[in-house]
Amino acid sequence: MRVLFCFSLNHLFHSHLVEVILCLQTIYYCLAASIGQYVYSYYLKSYALRTELYPDLSLYSKTGSTIIQHELGQCKDLLTSSLAQQWAQKKSSNLFFYQTVASSVPTILMTYILGLYTHQLGRKFVLILTMLGNLVQYSIWLFIIHYELPDYWWHIAAFLSSLAGGGNVSSFILNLIITDSTKESERTSRFLYIGAMCTAIGAIASLLVGFWIEYRGFLDLYWTALFVQLLTIIIVYHHMKPQSFLPIASTNSHDYIHNTNKNTKYNQLIQICMVFSPRHTYRSRKRSISLIITLVAFIFHCLASLSLGVPFLWFQLNYPFCWSAKEIGYYNTASSIIWSIGSIVGMKFLTYTRSSDAAICCISHTCFIVSALWVSQAIYNWQLYIGLLIAPFTTYQGSLTYSIISKWLEPNEINNAFTFVTEINTILNVFGNSFFNYLYSITVSHSRNFTLLLAAGLGVIPLILNCILYVVTKNIPDESDNRIKECIPILIPDHMPITVPAGIETVLLPAKTTRNIRQNC
């Protein structure tokens, strides 16, 4: 029986290793997301001490009990509670602002360095490195909570964690593995299925986190997060093979020629920065325009999502909602369940109607604008829950961007493209988190929903861009689509640099020359 169990476990890790890693990481990030609630409750306690609004502080323990947050968060006295909440929210958002500033430069640099050296260091090594950075951050958090250390320790924790690259790098590695091991025709559906699975796992974790904080506090929660991350590292170390998938070279593969003749880091940097450039002679006008529009739409989609998501916890904790940890857990659970079901059902329907990727993104951005406007005007709990019914259809741009890009590029260009997109995403997250936290802190006293209205305005830009992309992909012919449609993965050692496989000769012909040859033939 024991042998059978071990065999089944090994088979699970071998066949669905990426899914297992993503599920564990989802649980970890659900636990980590509660740090905002701890910071908010801590500042509420500090406000009570400072103003003597809550003289009986013996109820507050080092485990981070939310009793004071619950009492001040009931909004019984609008003037007193709103002052306490606004002060706590300003302090909390400012703390996260300075954390992001402290980690911004290392995160951006390490994202570039790890993306550039992934093939030399190995995907397994880079993935474990980012997880070790999370372990260090959580260990410091535990000391901060247990000993109530000063605020600058939060900045130190963020800085040390950023030296390992952060979550964007690990997502980049896992996206590469998924892309390389999945047929082009199945990539979109697999990305969405994995996203839905992680969302379902997040639903259960969010529910448990809400109850855990309500009755057990924060300290035990973060010990559990530390264990989950350590378990993930052990699984990656023992079950992830030191191999990488490498697509075969195309007959018009420009990058492989440069990798062979000029295999320097400077040239690799140039290739990463220029991978979306329309100057590639082998790339048709349709493909060049589509890539640029997709990239710019993704940038504004990220900004709109950050404007909505970064201050949303403070929005829930603010008047008139004043939610407790358990109520936030209920909402996150309902959100995760609706997202996991709605996103798949919506994509199935859109796929059944044979909607293009651009059309799906247009529908998604329209839903995002409506959702942001609805939530911004909500004053009752049920209105926030009603807003969840449209929420699953608002993030298709983020889910489909990697798939869209991979369809317009050569197989050997995908690694450079994903590195570039990850770097852009990292920069947006770093500065977006700090900016929107700061923006919320200076506008909450005058308008509690300003950042949500801004998100709706930003969502208009990617909507327009995807409408243009729809016209481009539908009406402009692709004159030189000679690339390989499917890539057959070749297993190579993960630590080896990418080179052209022996015996494969690559020939690069400009698009114009290719058309002339076809006409003459």
Side-chain angles (χ1 to χ4, degrees):
M1 187 69 180
R2 183 178 178 182
V3 175
L4 182 62
F5 174 76
C6 292
F7 174 78
S8 301
L9 196 62
N10 287 330
H11 178 72
L12 173 66
F13 289 144
H14 178 73
S15 303
H16 304 284
L17 180 61
V18 175
E19 287 84 349
V20 172
I21 295 172
L22 285 171
C23 287
L24 289 174
Q25 287 296 95
T26 299
I27 295 173
Y28 164 79
Y29 285 118
C30 284
L31 301 179
S34 64
I35 196 64
Q37 297 182 57
Y38 168 78
V39 171
Y40 178 74
S41 64
Y42 174 81
Y43 282 122
L44 276 179
K45 170 201 169 183
S46 301
Y47 184 86
L49 281 168
R50 188 170 64 92
T51 61
E52 298 182 353
L53 289 174
Y54 200 92
D56 186 12
L57 292 175
S58 60
L59 294 174
Y60 190 90
S61 66
K62 289 183 179 180
T63 59
S65 170
T66 57
I67 292 176
I68 293 176
Q69 177 185 352
H70 179 73
E71 290 296 323
L72 289 175
Q74 292 303 305
C75 303
K76 296 175 182 177
D77 182 349
L78 176 58
L79 177 62
T80 301
S81 61
S82 63
L83 288 175
Q85 291 158 9
Q86 289 178 14
W87 186 84
Q89 288 176 26
K90 286 182 180 179
K91 295 289 289 185
S92 301
S93 56
N94 282 334
L95 176 64
F96 281 93
F97 167 73
Y98 287 113
Q99 275 194 81
T100 308
V101 170
S103 63
S104 58
V105 175
T107 299
I108 294 171
L109 290 177
M110 289 306 298
T111 300
Y112 157 68
I113 293 172
L114 292 176
L116 189 61
Y117 285 88
T118 293
H119 291 285
Q120 283 75 18
L121 298 173
R123 295 178 181 180
K124 179 177 179 178
F125 175 83
V126 174
L127 193 59
I128 291 178
L129 181 64
T130 59
M131 295 176 182
L132 288 175
N134 292 333
L135 274 180
V136 172
Q137 185 179 40
Y138 249 101
S139 300
I140 298 177
W141 283 2
L142 286 169
F143 278 100
I144 295 172
I145 295 172
H146 188 74
Y147 296 106
E148 296 188 358
L149 299 177
D151 286 355
Y152 63 82
W153 280 99
W154 293 100
H155 309 148
I156 294 175
F159 176 80
L160 293 177
S161 175
S162 66
L163 295 177
N168 282 330
V169 176
S170 58
S171 298
F172 158 70
I173 298 298
L174 294 173
N175 282 332
L176 272 180
I177 296 174
I178 294 171
T179 301
D180 290 342
S181 59
T182 309
K183 293 180 179 180
E184 182 178 299
S185 59
E186 299 174 356
R187 284 176 195 162
T188 298
S189 59
R190 191 179 181 196
F191 272 110
L192 291 173
Y193 280 134
I194 290 177
M197 177 192 65
C198 292
T199 305
I201 296 295
I204 301 173
S206 297
L207 180 64
L208 297 177
V209 165
F211 279 100
W212 195 311
I213 295 174
E214 191 76 14
Y215 299 107
R216 296 280 299 178
F218 293 91
L219 193 60
D220 293 339
L221 187 72
Y222 298 144
W223 277 113
T224 304
L226 205 66
F227 170 76
V228 170
Q229 190 68 313
L230 184 61
L231 177 63
T232 309
I233 293 174
I234 293 173
I235 290 175
V236 172
Y237 180 79
H238 282 285
H239 296 280
M240 188 173 182
K241 303 299 181 183
Q243 295 165 338
S244 177
F245 297 104
L246 177 65
I248 62 174
S250 170
T251 56
N252 58 349
S253 177
H254 185 260
D255 285 339
Y256 270 120
I257 296 176
H258 281 272
N259 280 337
T260 306
N261 299 330
K262 301 179 180 180
N263 192 23
T264 66
K265 294 304 170 190
Y266 174 77
N267 288 328
Q268 289 182 35
L269 173 60
I270 296 299
Q271 291 169 19
I272 291 173
C273 295
M274 299 295 291
V275 67
F276 288 96
S277 172
R279 296 181 180 179
H280 289 296
T281 55
Y282 68 89
R283 186 178 294 162
S284 68
R285 185 164 62 105
K286 175 180 179 179
R287 290 167 62 186
S288 297
I289 295 174
S290 300
L291 284 170
I292 297 299
I293 292 177
T294 301
L295 180 64
V296 177
F298 175 74
I299 290 173
F300 280 98
H301 165 73
C302 290
L303 289 174
S305 300
L306 288 168
S307 182
L308 177 66
V310 167
F312 192 65
L313 174 62
W314 320 127
F315 182 77
Q316 293 172 318
L317 295 170
N318 197 6
Y319 179 86
F321 306 110
C322 310
W323 280 0
S324 65
K326 185 165 61 176
E327 289 172 317
I328 292 174
Y330 287 151
Y331 180 84
N332 291 339
T333 300
S335 175
S336 299
I337 293 173
I338 294 173
W339 275 65
S340 60
I341 297 174
S343 59
I344 292 180
V345 172
M347 182 54 65
K348 281 288 187 181
F349 174 77
L350 293 171
T351 304
Y352 176 77
T353 58
R354 297 185 178 181
S355 301
S356 64
D357 290 337
I360 293 174
C361 290
C362 287
I363 296 172
S364 177
H365 291 303
T366 303
C367 292
F368 178 87
I369 295 170
V370 174
S371 177
L373 292 174
W374 174 270
V375 172
S376 68
Q377 303 304 315
I379 57 175
Y380 300 107
N381 292 353
W382 65 267
Q383 291 175 320
L384 289 183
Y385 280 95
I386 289 294
L388 291 176
L389 296 178
I390 197 174
F393 317 117
T394 61
T395 58
Y396 286 146
Q397 178 75 62
S399 303
L400 294 177
T401 294
Y402 286 98
S403 176
I404 295 172
I405 288 174
S406 67
K407 294 175 182 178
W408 291 111
L409 292 172
E410 293 287 339
N412 52 277
E413 291 179 310
I414 292 177
N415 185 85
N416 289 339
F418 280 18
T419 300
F420 185 80
V421 173
T422 302
E423 183 69 22
I424 293 294
N425 191 33
T426 300
I427 295 172
L428 292 174
N429 276 277
V430 165
F431 292 104
N433 272 285
S434 59
F435 174 75
F436 290 115
N437 268 310
Y438 174 73
L439 184 63
Y440 183 83
S441 69
I442 63 175
T443 59
V444 63
S445 302
H446 310 287
S447 175
R448 66 182 181 88
N449 59 355
F450 176 79
T451 54
L452 277 68
L453 294 173
L454 179 61
L458 290 172
V460 175
I461 299 176
L463 172 61
I464 295 173
L465 290 173
N466 276 282
C467 290
I468 297 173
L469 180 63
Y470 177 79
V471 174
V472 169
T473 55
K474 186 177 181 180
N475 297 330
I476 298 180
D478 195 3
E479 300 94 343
S480 61
D481 196 0
N482 298 326
R483 65 196 184 97
I484 291 179
K485 297 298 183 181
E486 297 289 348
C487 55
I488 304 173
I490 301 176
L491 294 178
I492 63 170
D494 196 26
H495 62 277
M496 292 178 61
I498 296 182
T499 56
V500 180
I504 296 181
E505 296 183 358
T506 58
V507 179
L508 179 64
L509 295 176
K512 183 176 180 180
T513 304
T514 304
R515 290 195 300 270
N516 292 335
I517 292 175
R518 285 179 174 177
Q519 292 173 0
N520 294 332
C521 292

